[in-house]
Amino acid sequence: MKKRMAVLMTVGGVIILLGGLLTYVLGIHALVPVPRPDLIVVGTSLIGLLLIIPGACDLIGRQSKEMEIEEKDERNIALGNAAMASGFKVMSLAIAIAIFALIFTGYMTIVPCFTLIGAYTVGQLVVVARLWYLQKTM
């Protein structure tokens, strides 16, 4: 499962990266009706690289049998989940502060504002729904 996800991330990143570079080479990025067409190339290239690098690292890195056993150990899984939960709490607070700061300093327009608020809300709702589901089943 993990290998399949790494392959999917790497292939998706290559497609996004090449798509962004292709729009630049063909000059399509200048024809798209967006305020900053130069950011299409930069954004797709950055997103592509951010997907390629971790996916390729997962594919290249070999695991010994001991590392696989330790990775599946319940204690290590619990520690990883606790670390991710703390990271999610910090990230949620940081995103809320960043959205607030960008709105009230005038750097954010209405469309990205509602997009980020919507994504933030979805993340928070998933936490509540997952908590409710786990409490019902466990």
Side-chain angles (χ1 to χ4, degrees), residues 12 40-41 66 87 89 108 125:
I40 292 173
V41 178
E66 290 177 3
K89 288 178 184 176
M108 188 177 297
L125 289 175

Side-chain angles (χ1 to χ4, degrees), residues 38-83:
D38 56 322
L39 291 180
I40 292 173
V41 178
V42 173
T44 54
S45 300
L46 182 63
I47 291 169
L49 287 174
L50 289 175
L51 288 172
I52 291 170
I53 292 171
C57 288
D58 282 345
L59 288 175
I60 292 171
R62 289 250 177 213
Q63 286 189 341
S64 67
K65 199 66 170 171
E66 290 177 3
M67 290 171 68
E68 285 183 34
I69 292 170
E70 188 172 321
E71 185 177 289
K72 293 178 182 176
D73 182 34
E74 289 182 22
R75 180 178 179 272
N76 290 336
I77 292 171
L79 290 174
N81 288 341

Side-chain angles (χ1 to χ4, degrees), residues 4-20 44-53 55-56 59:
R4 185 179 300 154
M5 189 62 156
V7 169
L8 186 65
M9 276 179 51
T10 306
V11 170
V14 168
I15 290 170
I16 292 171
L17 176 65
L18 292 178
T44 54
S45 300
L46 182 63
I47 291 169
L49 287 174
L50 289 175
L51 288 172
I52 291 170
I53 292 171
L59 288 175

